[in-house]
Amino acid sequence: MKNEILQTIKQYDTIILHRHVRPDPDAYGSQMGLAEIIRASFPMKKVYSVGNDEASLQFLGKVDEITDETYKEALVIVCDTANQERVSDQRYHLGQKLIKIDHHPNDDAYGDMLWVNTDASSCSEMIVDFWENFSDELLLNETAARLLYAGIVGDTGRFLYPSTTEETLRLSAHLVTFPFDRPALYRELYELPKNTVKLSGYILQNFDMDKNGAATVYLSDTLLNEYEVNPRDASALVSSIENVEGIKAWIMFIQEGPVFRARLRSKGPVINELAKEYGGGGHPLASGATLHSDEEIKEMTKKLQLICADK
């Protein structure tokens, strides 16, 4: 499949890359990292990265603004996006051919060509693997290396998550040979505003955990307003209780207007099937869903408790 993707890239003069809504570093890294590899390797091609900008990640790069006409006879590549409804900028279907590159479970097998590797730590890792396979034809430069490294670091939790494999570290070794400022990149990825840090203190004092290691924390609109933290920044705190002794899995419920964003994390029990019950999904140990009532919150909490009780 990788060779087919490369040959398809060679055939198109215009290539447009998408990623998922509410992007994380891997979404930015894989999308813009691949775009930079293509741009550097084939200077005559027109290469664009599109989607809604995320203010907290603009240090990685900014998206391009293009017209619908640009999609005519274009190749579209969607990175790091399991489901079609989560593609940022729904014009992705306007191109002539569509490629999906992803590391999430392939529940929505969209696209004319699909490369899905659930064993990869991140979509950014897949892009490094893609470059390595064709390093005699593709150019990996400092800009691409920085983007892809940020994506891998983000999705592996600084190489701490179980998704980090020998292959992850081997491929990452290629990236650190480039002279981008790694300490500065880590600061930009992980520094938090003072009010967000204060909210993390609230979380540590107010999470609930049962005897089986199922934990929850609820952040209401009122609370977020009190701390002057938006839902996006609050989501960055989902791992703040992961080191609590005895914790197995947890959910952070974040109110965002009329809905509640459920951020699910686990240190063992599989929780993505639970997320799927509420129209969400993700990885076995890291998933998300959107809930619409207090009743659904209570229901999901009970189901999490049952999952942890069985482990």
Side-chain angles (χ1 to χ4, degrees):
M1 180 53 65
K2 285 178 276 190
N3 185 61
E4 292 176 29
I5 291 174
L6 177 59
Q7 298 310 315
T8 303
I9 288 173
K10 290 179 178 179
Q11 293 169 13
Y12 283 82
D13 295 326
T14 301
I15 301 171
I16 304 168
L17 293 99
H18 289 246
R19 36 84 171 153
H20 61 74
V21 296
R22 302 175 65 85
D24 56 11
D26 188 32
Y28 263 76
S30 58
Q31 176 199 32
M32 295 187 176
L34 178 56
E36 184 60 27
I37 288 173
I38 297 171
R39 191 176 293 116
S41 305
F42 307 102
M44 300 304 293
K45 295 185 184 296
K46 298 176 181 177
V47 185
Y48 305 99
S49 297
V50 301
N52 294 326
D53 260 326
E54 168 53 46
S56 65
L57 294 175
Q58 286 191 6
F59 65 89
L60 291 175
K62 294 185 178 181
V63 296
D64 301 302
E65 294 185 7
I66 61 175
T67 65
D68 292 357
E69 183 67 19
T70 310
Y71 283 86
K72 185 178 180 181
E73 299 182 355
L75 170 65
V76 176
I77 303 175
V78 179
C79 296
D80 196 39
T81 310
N83 307 309
Q84 294 180 76
E85 61 268 21
R86 298 200 71 233
V87 179
S88 185
D89 192 332
Q90 285 285 304
R91 295 180 296 171
Y92 71 96
H93 63 277
L94 296 180
Q96 188 175 88
K97 180 168 283 189
L98 176 63
I99 297 175
K100 174 185 179 180
I101 301 177
D102 191 29
H103 70 124
H104 299 92
N106 194 27
D107 297 323
D108 185 358
Y110 64 89
D112 301 300
M113 302 173 66
L114 293 81
W115 176 29
V116 177
N117 180 10
T118 56
D119 292 328
S121 69
S122 56
C123 193
S124 293
E125 177 184 321
M126 294 176 66
I127 302 306
V128 183
D129 174 59
F130 180 72
W131 161 79
E132 184 186 61
N133 272 263
F134 309 106
S135 58
D136 57 334
E137 298 183 75
L138 298 178
L139 177 63
L140 177 68
N141 59 22
E142 182 179 341
T143 300
R146 176 178 176 271
L147 284 160
L148 294 167
Y149 187 77
I152 294 173
V153 166
D155 257 27
T156 62
R158 289 174 275 191
F159 303 104
L160 293 176
Y161 296 160
S163 60
T164 304
T165 65
E166 179 182 350
E167 183 72 353
T168 307
L169 297 173
R170 188 187 69 79
L171 291 170
S172 298
H174 287 303
L175 305 178
V176 299
T177 62
F178 289 86
F180 62 88
D181 191 336
R182 275 186 285 156
L185 180 60
Y186 276 103
R187 286 194 298 273
E188 289 171 310
L189 284 170
Y190 292 104
E191 277 187 346
L192 296 172
K194 182 172 67 174
N195 53 333
T196 305
V197 174
K198 288 185 175 182
L199 178 61
S200 70
Y202 171 89
I203 292 170
L204 291 171
Q205 294 184 65
N206 291 277
F207 72 92
D208 292 315
M209 186 172 78
D210 70 5
K211 63 180 181 180
N212 295 310
T216 57
V217 60
Y218 176 83
L219 305 179
S220 67
D221 272 345
T222 301
L223 182 72
L224 295 180
N225 289 334
E226 178 184 338
Y227 281 87
E228 298 181 340
V229 176
N230 61 47
R232 167 76 195 195
D233 289 343
S235 293
L237 301 175
V238 66
S239 296
S240 57
I241 60 174
E242 67 178 346
N243 294 321
V244 174
E245 182 179 6
I247 196 169
K248 292 181 182 177
W250 63 100
I251 307 173
M252 179 179 288
F253 298 106
I254 305 170
Q255 187 173 10
E256 187 172 349
V259 301
F260 305 89
R261 307 294 182 186
R263 303 291 177 233
L264 297 84
R265 296 294 185 271
S266 175
K267 298 177 77 173
V270 174
I271 42 81
N272 61 339
E273 293 300 325
L274 175 56
K276 289 178 186 177
E277 292 183 34
Y278 296 86
H283 300 289
L285 304 183
S287 299
T290 299
L291 309 186
H292 299 87
S293 67
D294 291 332
E295 289 71 26
E296 286 189 330
I297 290 176
K298 293 176 183 177
E299 184 181 74
M300 180 179 265
T301 299
K302 289 180 180 178
K303 290 179 178 180
L304 179 73
Q305 291 169 342
L306 290 173
I307 290 171
C308 291
D310 289 338
K311 298 296 181 180

